[in-house]
Amino acid sequence: MDRRAFLFCSAGFALAAPQRLMAAGKPFRIGFLTAQREASLAPFVEVFRAALDGLGYVENGNLEITYRYGDDDPTRVPALAAELVRKPVDVLVVQGSAVAVVNELKLPTPTVYVFSGDPVIAGLAQSLSHPGGNMSGLTFMAAELNAKRLQILRDAVPGLQRVAIIGNPEHPGSQIERIYSEETAKRLGVATDFFGTATEDQLVSAFAAMKLNPPQAISLFADGFAIQSRSRIIEFAMQHRAPVISGWPIFARSGALCTYGPKLSDSYHRLASYVDRILKGARPADLPIERPTKFEMVLNLQTAGKLGLRLPDSLVASADEVIE
């Protein structure tokens, strides 16, 4: 290869590679923070890491990731966040209920997040297109999907007339989810009862009320409290032969009849691009918040069998995953 060709190839490589990855020196440092347990996020963390690798970030090479898990205790988040800031890290990646806590801390470190609620209602952003501040990322919030879930229940449960809605009223955006659910239920001729469950005591009270007038099905709004309480909620529902539907696959894999919602793996893959842009110098304030664009349905046929439900062939055929 002559000198001119060599220079041309070298220039082309420099343009194609992430600019800051060309710089020598210490590796980029990411702090990953969540209030959840490590096992509950393992598949999504792997997707995130693979996406970073595809962008040219190599762990134990030019990238170092430090993980902090709260083990389902949000009160640990401030101390864990302080550890990461002191390390220090170049960017914080925050997941779930830890996002609102970190927002209150007003940390100097650029932060990207995946958040199940509405970022604007939660006070994380001025708007989806112009977040402002020092945080941006992706929301799983797609309140209109609650209409689809009720339609699935109507198709799955013969003669459906009453549905209990369990949701955390303190979760940002839950009121919008409730509105979509109740308006859809009216159109379908289905009555709904809403049970606000932000605490263990409220969940116990909801169970007591439902025992007096058992619902035919339960629509469970997905959030951190619902994940922590999912086994108890699903066990209660099965005792009363009421199928549960929710938004995230973890519920179907824990015994709910069905989940329909954002494809979480896609969102965690997209999260890597936010990290990449910030490491290249972008400001979180200038990065629009993304809403879900890909969705998935998971059906649990084991649960359907226990409840004596024969799901329509068209519903089973449209599922992205079937648990048999």
Side-chain angles (χ1 to χ4, degrees), residues 37-200:
R37 296 180 181 275
E38 182 175 358
S40 67
L41 289 174
F44 305 118
V45 170
E46 287 306 307
V47 169
F48 173 63
R49 293 171 62 195
L52 286 171
D53 184 77
L55 291 168
Y57 298 92
V58 181
E59 290 185 71
N60 301 317
N62 62 357
L63 178 66
E64 175 186 313
I65 305 179
T66 303
Y67 299 91
R68 291 292 182 269
Y69 295 91
D71 295 332
D72 292 334
D73 183 359
T75 63
R76 296 182 58 196
V77 170
L80 296 175
E83 286 182 29
L84 293 171
V85 171
R86 286 196 302 267
K87 186 173 175 62
V89 294
D90 300 305
V91 57
L92 276 174
V93 177
V94 187
Q95 187 275 343
S97 60
V99 177
V101 179
V102 169
N103 182 55
E104 292 296 322
L105 298 176
K106 305 301 179 187
L107 302 175
T109 307
T111 301
V112 299
Y113 56 75
V114 281
F115 184 60
S116 61
D118 186 314
V120 178
I121 293 176
L124 306 180
Q126 297 172 9
S127 68
L128 295 182
S129 58
H130 297 93
N134 203 32
M135 303 175 71
S136 187
L138 301 99
T139 174
F140 299 146
M141 190 71 184
E144 63 274 13
L145 298 183
N146 287 282
K148 174 68 173 179
R149 293 182 196 120
L150 285 178
Q151 292 168 358
I152 292 172
L153 281 179
R154 183 198 58 182
D155 294 340
V157 181
L160 183 66
Q161 294 181 325
R162 290 188 61 254
V163 174
I165 299 172
I166 297 178
N168 180 354
E170 296 180 8
H171 187 61
S174 66
Q175 292 303 316
I176 300 175
E177 291 190 271
R178 180 178 178 180
I179 290 170
Y180 269 97
S181 297
E182 292 177 343
E183 289 180 349
T184 300
K186 287 180 182 179
R187 291 197 301 270
L188 297 176
V190 174
T192 59
D193 298 305
F194 181 81
F195 297 93
T197 54
T199 66
E200 289 290 334

Side-chain angles (χ1 to χ4, degrees), residues 17-31:
Q19 184 177 359
R20 287 192 62 181
L21 295 184
M22 302 295 292
K26 64 184 181 181
F28 299 110
R29 291 173 294 190
I30 297 173

